[in-house]
Amino acid sequence: DTGVSQDPRHKITKRGQNVTFRCDPISEHNRLYWYRQTLGQGPEFLTYFQNEAQLEKSRLLSDRFSAERPKGSFSTLEIQRTEQGDSAMYLCASSSADGFSSYEQYFGPGTRLTVT
Amino acid sequence: AQTVTQSQPEMSVQEAETVTLSCTYDTSESDYYLFWYKQPPSRQMILVIRQEAYKQQNATENRFSVNFQKAAKSFSLKISDSQLGDAAMYFCALQGGSEKLVFGKGTKLTVNP
């Protein structure tokens, strides 16, 4: 399967703990996005990368959140000192870009985080 | 700020019938894209159809078509000959002035046999 993959698929953690999620995009895609989806809502944008550069961050991405894409391939999203409000599905997507044209974002299966 | 509104939290349709899902949006961008994404239960989101705002012709993909009314900022999805596999959450999304997608809250579509 050459689609977007995310690991882990499910994570249960206690409040105050740190968690890290990984996303592997489609190999030829240079853009990678993170979204958060809570129950009954549509996904909300968190951040995106073009290659290894983080080009945009949402105000939703508090200081406890950090994302990296060190070599322009996979990405990690870390949440420090988790809170119950962080419980959500974290979605990763990737796309290719040609100059200023952007194409379809392909989504991964998501990582469901439960903070107890 | 860009917004997307889906006013129908749930819709149902009989198999083989036609259903229309509504979406309105707001943006100050002159160049933007509109999308409908499908999210089946416990499965990943997939793109159903895409519309470039500068194109007057409505996009179609097999049984899926849109009614894009730019002046009214309306972007509805019509599903013809509904199938059981069409049952899912459907999200309308807007991309303009930025690479991020702005999503509506979704419409849950049930297909009755």
Side-chain angles (χ1 to χ4, degrees), chain A residues 8 23-24 32-33 36 51 53 55 62 65 68-69 81 83-85 89 98-99 102-103 105 116:
Chain A
C23 171
D24 286 89
L32 186 149
Y33 311 79
R36 181 172 69 185
N51 300 314
L55 296 186
S62 75
F65 288 70
E68 294 183 343
R69 194 182 183 200
R81 305 181 303 282
E83 302 173 355
Q84 287 188 323
M89 178 76 85
D98 177 10
S102 186
Y103 301 94
Q105 293 184 25
T116 62

Side-chain angles (χ1 to χ4, degrees), chain B residues 21-111:
Chain B
L21 308 184
S22 301
C23 172
T24 57
Y25 63 93
D26 192 24
T27 179
S28 58
E29 299 292 331
S30 57
D31 187 18
Y32 55 91
Y33 300 86
L34 293 160
F35 304 84
W36 279 98
Y37 276 88
K38 170 185 177 182
Q39 188 176 41
S42 301
R43 294 184 61 187
Q44 59 209 74
M45 197 166 307
I46 57 174
L47 180 66
V48 174
I49 199 164
R50 161 192 168 122
Q51 174 81 42
E52 292 87 345
Y54 64 86
K55 290 186 176 179
Q56 291 187 337
Q57 187 172 7
N58 289 325
T60 62
E61 286 289 341
N62 301 313
R63 298 182 294 107
F64 298 87
S65 62
V66 299
N67 183 4
F68 175 44
Q69 300 290 326
K70 191 171 183 177
K73 295 185 177 178
S74 171
F75 183 61
S76 61
L77 174 70
K78 185 171 81 171
I79 306 174
S80 304
D81 185 26
S82 297
Q83 301 176 0
L84 295 177
D86 294 334
M89 285 293 292
Y90 285 81
F91 292 97
C92 179
L94 166 68
Q95 182 186 52
S98 164
E99 292 306 314
K100 69 181 181 185
L101 291 171
V102 177
F103 287 87
K105 290 187 176 183
T107 296
K108 182 180 180 181
L109 179 65
T110 301
V111 181

Side-chain angles (χ1 to χ4, degrees), chain A residues 30-31 48 50 55 96-103, chain B residues 99:
Chain A
N30 57 354
R31 286 187 174 165
Y48 95 92
Q50 178 157 323
L55 296 186
S96 60
D98 177 10
F100 294 102
S101 297
S102 186
Y103 301 94
Chain B
E99 292 306 314

Side-chain angles (χ1 to χ4, degrees), chain A residues 61-116:
Chain A
L61 213 65
S62 75
D63 291 346
R64 296 184 298 106
F65 288 70
S66 63
E68 294 183 343
R69 194 182 183 200
K71 295 183 179 180
S73 56
F74 72 92
S75 175
T76 57
L77 178 67
E78 180 184 17
I79 309 174
Q80 296 182 327
R81 305 181 303 282
T82 52
E83 302 173 355
Q84 287 188 323
D86 297 331
S87 294
M89 178 76 85
Y90 290 84
L91 299 171
C92 177
S94 70
S95 73
S96 60
D98 177 10
F100 294 102
S101 297
S102 186
Y103 301 94
E104 174 187 352
Q105 293 184 25
Y106 291 81
F107 282 81
T111 294
R112 181 168 295 284
L113 173 67
T114 302
V115 181
T116 62

